[in-house]
């Protein structure tokens, strides 16, 4: 993948755009690549050049990327004010229950349907998904869909007002735990040590609920890229976005190692086993 300027808007020209209607709701989805499907859910304040870059890494690793537009303007580097407006709008949206503990956001129903569709279209053993920041918890709820095999939670932020809260209902959480045990699956999760939006209490709550099926990764704050876009500089004042805005794209960096571990995780769960040679 060629280097791109992360400070400039991204035209997303190498993605195919589809309007996909599921559960009587239509959303724009950006697709690229071939192979088993991975759903990349954007962080705040939308599909930034950093989020698109991560999707391209997934594409280049041999997967079909489904990147739904959930909020914000696609491809832009949002100003601090615009990003704050997107955040406020999402917080009061009926699709997102930003302050709700023990309850999943309604948009996860649509995302589970997207996982079913992506599996039908792309084949393979199943589907992977990564949520980031505002969407960080969603890949766990999506495990209620049988096609989902590889969930990644990157700096899961909801609920906003409860550091130890889990953005999933107790019944759903129990069902997910049962499935993880039954199908021998795991959940990968990432955060920076000093992240004020995704704190240690949240990972502790996940570990208590999911046991050794939850695989936490905590990166040192020194691993975060200090050169960020205006929204992050103004409103996200601690290390936060592990594989996007705060990733340092250099060999040997902990954030690059995290990215590579995620891609390996997808390969392990989603790549069909090779038939033995006769």
């Amino acid at each position: 993948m060629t280097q791109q300027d992360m400070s400039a808007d991204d035209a997303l020209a190498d993605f195919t755009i589809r309007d996909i209607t599921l559960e009587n709701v239509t959303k724009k989805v950006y697709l690229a690549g071939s192979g088993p499907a991975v759903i990349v859910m954007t962080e705040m304040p939308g599909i930034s050049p950093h989020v698109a870059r991560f999707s391209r890494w997934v594409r280049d690793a041999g997967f079909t990327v489904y990147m739904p537009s959930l909020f914000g303007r696609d491809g832009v580097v949002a100003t601090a004010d615009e990003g704050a407006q997107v955040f406020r709008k999402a917080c009061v949206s009926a699709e997102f229950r930003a302050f709700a503990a023990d309850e999943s956001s309604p948009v996860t129903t649509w995302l589970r349907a997207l996982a079913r569709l992506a599996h039908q279209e792309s084949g393979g053993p199943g589907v992977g998904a990564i949520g980031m920041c505002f969407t960080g918890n969603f890949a766990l709820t999506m495990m209620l869909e049988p096609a989902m095999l590889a969930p990644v939670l990157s700096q899961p932020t909801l609920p906003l007002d409860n550091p130890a809260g889990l953005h999933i209902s107790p019944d759903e959480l129990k069902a997910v735990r049962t499935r993880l045990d039954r199908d021998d699956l795991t959940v990968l999760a990432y955060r920076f040590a000093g992240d004020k939006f995704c704190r240690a209490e949240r990972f502790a709550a996940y570990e208590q609920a999911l046991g050794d099926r939850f695989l936490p990764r905590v990166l040192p704050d020194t691993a975060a890229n200090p050169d960020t876009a205006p929204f992050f500089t103004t409103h996200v004042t601690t290390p936060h976005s592990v594989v996007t805005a705060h990733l340092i794209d250099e060999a040997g960096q902990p954030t690059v190692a995290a990215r590579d571990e995620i891609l390996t995780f997808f390969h392990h769960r989603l790549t069909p086993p090779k038939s033995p040679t006769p």
Side-chain angles (χ1 to χ4, degrees), residues 12 15-22 25-32 37-48 51-52 55 64-75 95-96 107-108 110-115 117-118 127-132 135 138 142:
L12 306 174
F15 291 86
T16 299
I17 305 173
R18 284 171 56 189
D19 288 326
I20 296 180
T21 301
L22 300 163
V25 175
T26 301
K27 292 187 180 296
K28 184 185 297 183
V29 180
Y30 293 82
L31 290 91
V38 173
I39 297 170
V40 177
M41 293 171 279
T42 184
E43 65 187 357
M44 278 289 162
I47 299 176
S48 67
V51 173
S55 287
T64 303
V65 170
Y66 287 70
M67 183 171 60
S69 178
L70 300 175
F71 39 71
R73 291 193 297 138
D74 303 333
E95 287 194 306
F96 306 102
V107 72
T108 56
W110 188 91
L111 290 165
R112 284 156 54 189
L114 179 63
L117 175 67
V127 176
I130 179 171
M132 312 173 186
T135 67
F138 295 173
M142 289 169 68

Side-chain angles (χ1 to χ4, degrees), residues 42 50 62 69 78 90 101 104 109 112-113 116 149 171 192-193 199-200 203 264:
T42 184
H50 287 93
S69 178
S104 296
T109 300
R112 284 156 54 189
R116 286 194 297 275
L149 295 180
D171 288 345
F192 283 106
R199 288 164 40 180
F203 272 30
T264 298

Side-chain angles (χ1 to χ4, degrees), residues 88-255:
R88 288 192 292 268
K89 183 177 179 181
C91 284
V92 298
S93 167
E95 287 194 306
F96 306 102
R97 292 177 182 158
F99 298 94
D102 299 330
E103 184 179 358
S104 296
S105 282
V107 72
T108 56
T109 300
W110 188 91
L111 290 165
R112 284 156 54 189
L114 179 63
R116 286 194 297 275
L117 175 67
H119 188 214
Q120 293 167 6
E121 294 181 341
S122 300
V127 176
I130 179 171
M132 312 173 186
C133 177
F134 207 80
T135 67
N137 308 73
F138 295 173
L140 186 65
T141 304
M142 289 169 68
M143 288 301 291
L144 296 169
E145 163 54 44
M148 270 289 302
L149 295 180
V152 180
L153 317 183
S154 194
Q155 69 273 359
T157 301
L158 304 185
L160 292 171
D161 60 348
N162 183 350
L166 298 183
H167 196 64
I168 182 172
S169 75
D171 288 345
E172 289 175 334
L173 185 59
K174 182 179 179 180
V176 169
R177 173 62 193 264
T178 298
R179 187 188 171 205
L180 294 172
D181 289 337
R182 182 190 67 229
D183 297 343
D184 192 22
L185 299 174
T186 52
V187 180
L188 267 181
Y190 297 84
R191 61 178 292 271
F192 283 106
D195 188 348
K196 69 179 182 180
F197 297 103
C198 178
R199 288 164 40 180
E201 294 94 323
R202 178 151 298 135
F203 272 30
Y206 277 125
E207 288 186 87
Q208 182 176 6
L210 302 177
D212 59 5
R213 298 294 171 182
F214 181 73
L215 305 179
R217 306 288 190 257
V218 181
L219 281 66
D221 291 350
T222 54
N225 191 343
D227 183 15
T228 57
F231 172 77
F232 287 85
T233 301
T234 303
H235 300 293
V236 186
T237 55
T238 59
H240 179 63
S241 299
V242 175
V243 294
T244 52
H246 288 108
L247 180 140
I248 300 176
D249 190 12
E250 297 174 2
Q253 290 291 334
T255 48

